[in-house]
Amino acid sequence: MPELSTDHSSATLDGAHSHGGPRYVSSRADRPTSFDPADIPVPRGREEEWRFTPMKRFAPLFDLDAIRAATAGQGDAGVRIETDLPDGASLETVARSDARIGTVGAPVDRTGITAWNGTETATVLTLEPGAQLERAARLNIVGQDAQLARPTAQHILIAAEAGSKGTVVLDHTGTAALTQGVEVTVADGAELTLVTVQGWEDGAVHASNHRVKVCGRGVLKHVVVSLGGDVRICPDLGFSGEGGHIDAYGVYFTDAGQHQEHRPYVAHTEPHCYSRVTYKGALQGEGAHAVWVGDCLIGQAARGTDTYELNRNLVLTEGAKADSVPNLEIENGNIEGAGHASATGRFDDQQLFYLRARGIPETEARRLVVLGFFNEIVAEIGVDEVEERLMAAIEKELELTGLITARTDQDPAAQPAAE
C-alpha cells in the first residue's frame, strides 16, 4: 500500500498497483488493488492470500451479483445500524460517489471488491475538528439474516479531523453474511481509538477490509476483538507524512468449528513513524481454527522506522489449530528498530505448577493462566465497557470447557468445614 491517495474514477490504481489482469503475489506490498471486479476475480483457495480460508463458508461474500440482487433498493439488507453518538461526532449516509469515499486506497481482495461494488451508499462518521469526545461513539451493526439468504455489502468511513480525540466502537451482533469496507483517516494532530467487536452468533460470516491512513503526527489505536462467527479481518494500516503513530491490538477466542482469520499489514512508507502490532488468541474445541498473518513493510523512504509485531496463541483443547505467519520486508536499513515474534502452545506447565504449589486447584489455576494471558492486552484497549464485555465473554467461553463450573464445585468456601 505505498500509495494511499487514490483516484477511483477510473476504477484502477496507477503505478505499481495498476494491473491489467489477475495476479496474486506473496508480498503484501505488491498485491493487486483495484475498484474493478474484473481485476480481482473469485479466488480458488490456492492463492497465498486464501490458502488458510474455508472457501465454501466465505463463498457468499465473493458473489457480487448475489449481493447486488439482495441489496437492490434495500441498502444494507441483511443488517441494520443503530447509533449512539456523543457531542462532537456526526453521522451521514452519502452516495458512494461522495468525494471523501475511496480516497484511502482500493480494495485488496475479492471480498473488498464486493463490499465496494455491492452498495451505492456509505456511512460516514466524523469526529469534528477539535472535538474531544466524552464517551465512545458507537455504531451497532445488527445482523438480521439468520438463514444467510441475503449476503450484504457495507461501506463505512471514519474520519478523525484535525485536533479531534475520541473513541469509535463498531459492534457486530446477530447473524448475517456481511462483506464490509472500513476506511479510516486520522488527520495530523488527531488521536483516534477504533474498536471493532465481532460478537456475531455462530452462524454469521463476516469479511472486513480496513484501509487506514494516518496523516502527519496523527495517532491511532486500532483494536480488533473477534468472539463469534466465521470472520476474516484484513487491516491495511498506512502513513501519509512524517511522525505517525499506530498501535494495533487484536484479541480472539476461537470455538469448535469456528474460523477466525486476521491479516494485519503495516506499510511504513514515510520517515520516523512508529507501529506496534500485538494479537493474542485462545482456541478450544474440535475444528477451531485461528489464522494470523502479520506483515510489515519498511519502504525505501521510511528512515527512522520503529516497528514490531507479535502474535501469541494459547491452545486449550485437542483438535484446535492455529496458523501464525509473521513477515517483515525491509528496504531501508536506516531505522530505529524492527522485529517480529510468534508462538503457539498449550498451558505453561511452570505457571500451573507455581499456582498449584500454593494450594490453588488445577482448574482454577488454568482459569487464572488464561485470564492473565489476555489481561495484558485487554488492559491496553482503554475503553472500560469493551474491556468488561471482553473479559466477561472470555469467562463465558471458559465455562464451556468446564473450568468455571469446576472452579465453583471446588471452591473451598462452598465446601463444608472440616471437623
Side-chain angles (χ1 to χ4, degrees), residues 244-378:
H245 185 115
I246 295 176
D247 285 300
Y249 297 103
V251 178
Y252 48 94
F253 205 118
T254 312
D255 275 329
Q258 202 171 64
H259 179 87
Q260 295 181 340
E261 185 168 344
H262 302 89
R263 290 177 167 266
Y265 169 55
V266 184
H268 280 272
T269 59
E270 304 289 339
H272 302 292
C273 292
Y274 172 99
S275 70
R276 290 291 184 273
V277 177
T278 307
Y279 277 60
K280 286 188 175 184
L283 303 87
Q284 66 177 11
E286 187 68 31
H289 188 199
V291 176
W292 182 87
V293 180
D295 288 273
C296 179
L297 167 70
I298 302 176
Q300 294 181 2
R303 64 186 182 278
T305 292
D306 187 352
T307 183
Y308 196 86
E309 59 179 7
L310 170 72
N311 179 230
R312 293 282 187 264
N313 295 288
L314 184 60
V315 179
L316 300 177
T317 66
E318 296 291 338
K321 178 183 178 182
D323 288 294
S324 182
V325 184
N327 298 299
L328 184 60
E329 299 179 61
I330 302 176
E331 298 175 352
N332 185 338
N334 184 18
I335 61 176
E336 292 294 324
H340 57 69
S342 168
T344 298
R346 301 186 183 278
F347 286 103
D348 188 319
D349 291 336
Q350 290 186 344
Q351 290 179 333
L352 292 175
F353 177 80
Y354 178 88
L355 293 170
R356 295 186 66 190
R358 280 148 182 81
I360 298 174
E362 181 178 357
T363 50
E364 174 66 2
R366 290 178 179 271
R367 173 182 173 274
L368 292 175
V369 169
V370 174
L371 296 182
F373 172 78
F374 280 116
N375 186 68
E376 179 183 3
I377 192 169
V378 171

Side-chain angles (χ1 to χ4, degrees), residues 9 17 59 88 124 140 157 216 246 253 312 334 361 385 417:
S9 60
H17 281 186
V124 179
N140 297 325
L157 168 63
I246 295 176
F253 205 118
R312 293 282 187 264
N334 184 18
E385 60 178 290

Side-chain angles (χ1 to χ4, degrees), residues 14 49 52 55 113 137 145 205 228 254 276 313 336 353 385:
D14 297 328
E49 284 281 298
F52 294 115
M55 303 302 285
I113 284 281
D145 181 18
V205 180
T254 312
R276 290 291 184 273
N313 295 288
E336 292 294 324
F353 177 80
E385 60 178 290

